[in-house]
C-alpha cells in the first residue's frame, strides 16, 4: 500500500522520557522491539529516497520512501524472512519496489551499505493520538505520525 506520510520526531532527555513513561504507564497499550535495516545506494541518496526493511514482532516489511510535495510518499510491501535474506545477499527480487528502483537504474546487486537501528517502543494512546516513545542510538525520542491520503496504486 502507498500513502503520504508526515512525521514529527523530537529528542527527549532521559529524565523526561522516564517521567512520560511514569505519568502514562496506565495508558501504555503495547511495547515491543523493532529493528530497521536501512539499505543505501548513491542514487537513492541523490534522489533523497529511503529504502528500509523493518522487522517487528516476527514480521518483515520492505519500504521505499520518496519525496513528495508535502511529506514523503511511502510504499510498503510485506515480505518474509527468505526475501529479506535474498535482499541482503543481493539476489534479484521481483516486486513493486524493486521494479520502481530498476526503472531508475538502482539495482540490488549495487546496494552494499547497511545500517541497523534497534528501537524499543512504548505505544501510548491518549485523546485519539498515538505517541511512540522510542530509544535509538542511546537517545530517547517521542514521535507522532500522521498518515494522510492513503490510497492503493
Amino acid at each position: 500500500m502507498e500513502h503520504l506520510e508526515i512525521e514529527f520526531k523530537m529528542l527527549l532527555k532521559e529524565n523526561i522520557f522516564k517521567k512520560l513513561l511514569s505519568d502514562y504507564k496506565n495508558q501504555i497499550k503495547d511495547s515491543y522491539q523493532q529493528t530497521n535495516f536501512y539499505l543505501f545506494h548513491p542514487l537513492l541518496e541523490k534522489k533523497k529516497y529511503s529504502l528500509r526493511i523493518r522487522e517487528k514482532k516476527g514480521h518483515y516489511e520492505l519500504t521505499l520512501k520518496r519525496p513528495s510535495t508535502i511529506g514523503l510518499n511511502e510504499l510498503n510491501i510485506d515480505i518474509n524472512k527468505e526475501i529479506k535474506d535474498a535482499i541482503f545477499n543481493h539476489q534479484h527480487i521481483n516486486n513493486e519496489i524493486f521494479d520502481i528502483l530498476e526503472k531508475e537504474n538502482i539495482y540490488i546487486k549495487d546496494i552494499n551499505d547497511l545500517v541497523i537501528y534497534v528501537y524499543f517502543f512504548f505505544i501510548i494512546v491518549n485523546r485519539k493520538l498515538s505517541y511512540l516513545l522510542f530509544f535509538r542510538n542511546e537517545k530517547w525520542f517521542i514521535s507522532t505520525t500522521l498518515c494522510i491520503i492513503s490510497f492503493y496504486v
Side-chain angles (χ1 to χ4, degrees):
M1 181 168 77
E2 194 166 359
H3 63 268
L4 183 63
E5 175 189 72
I6 298 172
E7 187 172 58
F8 171 78
K9 292 181 183 170
M10 182 175 64
L11 180 63
L12 300 175
K13 292 186 177 189
E14 187 172 355
N15 64 324
I16 294 171
F17 174 82
K18 288 180 178 178
K19 176 141 179 50
L20 283 170
L21 275 185
S22 174
D23 289 351
Y24 290 95
K25 67 183 173 192
N26 294 330
Q27 293 180 357
I28 293 176
K29 302 298 181 192
D30 194 8
S31 65
Y32 58 90
Q33 177 178 319
Q34 171 180 300
T35 304
N36 289 345
F37 303 90
Y38 288 92
L39 306 161
F40 295 97
H41 184 283
L43 288 177
L44 287 172
E45 185 177 345
K46 183 177 180 180
K47 294 175 179 290
K48 299 186 182 197
Y49 289 8
S50 175
L51 183 61
R52 172 190 76 209
I53 296 173
R54 173 173 286 163
E55 179 182 358
K56 179 173 108 178
K57 297 182 178 181
H59 294 86
Y60 297 89
E61 179 183 69
L62 178 65
T63 299
L64 176 64
K65 294 184 181 185
R66 296 174 285 169
S68 184
T69 306
I70 299 172
L72 295 170
N73 189 14
E74 183 175 304
L75 175 60
N76 302 300
I77 297 174
D78 289 331
I79 61 173
N80 58 33
K81 185 179 184 315
E82 290 75 24
I83 292 174
K84 177 198 74 113
D85 292 342
I87 292 168
F88 289 165
N89 290 312
H90 306 282
Q91 297 172 1
H92 187 265
I93 304 294
N94 285 319
N95 67 30
E96 186 177 357
I97 288 176
F98 282 103
D99 290 346
I100 290 169
L101 294 175
E102 287 179 9
K103 286 179 184 174
E104 300 199 33
N105 297 315
I106 300 170
Y107 300 98
I108 194 166
K109 66 180 179 60
D110 299 324
I111 296 175
N112 293 317
D113 298 313
L114 179 67
V115 174
I116 301 171
Y117 293 118
V118 177
Y119 298 86
F120 299 95
F121 284 96
F122 302 91
I123 300 175
I124 297 172
V125 178
N126 184 23
R127 294 185 184 165
K128 299 183 182 178
L129 282 175
S130 292
Y131 297 91
L132 302 178
L133 299 176
F134 65 95
F135 182 75
R136 181 181 83 185
N137 295 349
E138 300 179 12
K139 294 186 171 113
W140 294 102
F141 292 82
I142 187 168
S143 173
T144 62
T145 301
L146 173 64
C147 294
I148 58 173
I149 313 176
S150 292
F151 58 95
Y152 289 98
V153 178

